[in-house]
Amino acid sequence: MNTITAAITAVGAYVPDFVLSNKVLETMVDTNDEWITSRTGIKERRILKDEDKGTSYLAIMAAKDLLAKANIDPLEIDLLIMATATPDMPVASTGVYVATEIGATNAFSYDLQAACSSFLYGMSTAAAYIQSGRYKKVLLIGADKMSSIVDYTDRSTCIIFGDGAGAVLFEPNYEGLGLQDEYLRSDGVGRDFLKIPAGGSLVPTTLETVKENRHNIIQDGKTVFKYAVTNMADASELILKRNNLTNDDVDWLVPHQANKRIIDATASRMNLEDSKVLMNIEKYGNTTSATLPLVISDFEHLFKKGDTIIFAAFGGGFTWGSIYLKWAYDKK
C-alpha cells in the first residue's frame, strides 16, 4: 500500500468590499499613514460592515469560492474544520452552520481556536485525518470578523486587524506531496498579553464588563512582538534544519500577516531573499485565522507542483509553529 500524504488540492477566498485605509483611520484615532506603514506594513484592511453578518458569512463565501473554482460537489466533503477566533456565537459551532449552509450535509464539523495560529493548527489536524485513511476530502476554513472585537478608539489595535476568510481542500496524495513535517508549540505565559478579558467563564458578561469595554481585544504590543519575532523565526529555522533544507531549497515562505517586521525577521533567520517571501499584509492587515489561506489564494498562480513551501504563524495564548509542505498542483 502506498503511503498517504495530505495535499492541498483547491483554494478559495473572500474579503468584504469595504476598505478601511490608513487615511480613514487618521480621522478616527490619533495616528497617521506613515506611522502605521513604517511599523506594521499595513496600508488598508477590509471590514464586513453588515451588522447582520458574522464570521460564518465570510467562511461561507470563501468555501463557495473554492467549491465553484474546483467544481466540487459539497456532498463529497467528509469533514469541515472551522479555524476562527471570532465564532458567530460562544456555544453553537460556527463550522457546523457553515457546513449546512454550503450543502456539505455529509460532513461533520467543528471549530478550532488557537488565535492567529488557528489555521496552521488546522492544517496539521486536517492532514492527520487524511493520513489516517478514514477521510478523503477535508475542507479547512480560516475566517475572522476581527472588526467585531476591535475597539476603534484604541489606536494600538484598530490599525492592525481586518476581516476576511480563506479555504483550502485537503485530499490524499500518493506522490509524496503535501504536508511533510510540522513543529507546533504553545505556552500559557502569553495568556495575559493578548486577550479579550471578559465574556468567558472566568469573567462572565455583566453590565459592568460592557460599560468597562472589556469585550474587545487588548494586547501588550511590545511583549507580543518580542515573543512573535523569536518564536516564528525559531520554528521556521528548526523545520529547515530538521528536514535538511537550505534556503535554496525553499521556494516560498507563507508567514502569518501580523506585522511586516515580524515577517522580515523570520525571513532573515531563514536567509531567504525577498522574492520568496509572500506578503499581502498591506491590503488586508491581520485577519487572524484567515491570513495564511488568503496568502495562498493571492499567490496560488505562482506555485508549481513540487514547490517547497514553509508556513509560519504566531498567535495569542501563546501559540506558534511552522509547517513544511510540498505543493501538489499547477494552477490551470
Side-chain angles (χ1 to χ4, degrees), residues 101-298:
E101 288 299 298
I102 66 171
T105 52
N106 290 326
F108 72 101
S109 179
Y110 58 85
D111 295 355
L112 187 159
Q113 207 279 69
C116 291
S117 300
S118 297
F119 190 84
L120 190 79
Y121 281 22
M123 290 176 68
S124 169
T125 307
Y129 278 110
I130 294 294
Q131 290 163 355
S132 74
R134 292 184 179 182
Y135 305 104
K136 302 297 184 184
K137 286 183 169 60
V138 177
L139 181 61
L140 171 61
I141 304 173
D144 272 303
K145 185 181 178 181
M146 293 304 293
S147 62
S148 67
I149 57 170
V150 166
D151 176 1
Y152 283 95
T153 67
D154 177 10
R155 67 176 182 176
S156 68
T157 55
C158 73
I159 66 170
I160 298 169
F161 296 102
D163 303 338
V168 301
L169 184 70
F170 275 92
E171 293 186 275
N173 184 277
Y174 300 95
E175 300 177 272
L177 302 173
L179 197 146
Q180 305 293 309
D181 194 14
E182 63 184 45
Y183 177 79
L184 305 176
R185 289 293 182 270
S186 61
D187 188 343
V189 71
R191 180 179 169 102
D192 290 328
F193 300 119
L194 179 56
K195 64 182 180 180
I196 296 175
S201 61
L202 185 64
V203 184
T205 303
T206 64
L207 286 174
E208 286 71 26
T209 62
V210 174
K211 288 178 181 177
E212 293 167 1
N213 198 25
R214 302 182 69 191
H215 294 269
N216 288 320
I217 193 167
I218 60 171
Q219 71 169 349
D220 177 340
K222 290 184 178 179
T223 301
V224 173
F225 180 84
K226 180 181 71 174
Y227 275 93
V229 166
T230 300
N231 288 314
M232 259 182 68
D234 284 351
S236 301
E237 184 179 41
L238 185 144
I239 208 85
L240 294 186
K241 289 182 177 178
R242 195 158 75 181
N243 290 279
N244 297 313
L245 297 172
T246 69
N247 59 318
D248 290 332
D249 296 319
V250 177
D251 294 294
W252 310 104
L253 171 65
V254 176
H256 172 52
Q257 309 285 301
N259 186 301
K260 186 178 184 297
R261 291 185 294 169
I262 298 173
I263 297 171
D264 289 343
T266 302
S268 177
R269 181 77 70 84
M270 297 170 69
N271 197 26
L272 288 183
E273 54 198 68
D274 291 347
S275 61
K276 293 184 176 184
V277 183
L278 302 182
M279 282 190 280
N280 57 13
I281 189 171
E282 73 283 355
K283 297 193 297 181
Y284 307 132
N286 182 356
T287 54
T288 305
S289 307
T291 66
L292 295 183
L294 282 176
V295 172
I296 296 172
S297 177
D298 278 1

Side-chain angles (χ1 to χ4, degrees), residues 32 71 80 268 298:
N32 61 71
N71 192 28
L80 188 152
S268 177
D298 278 1

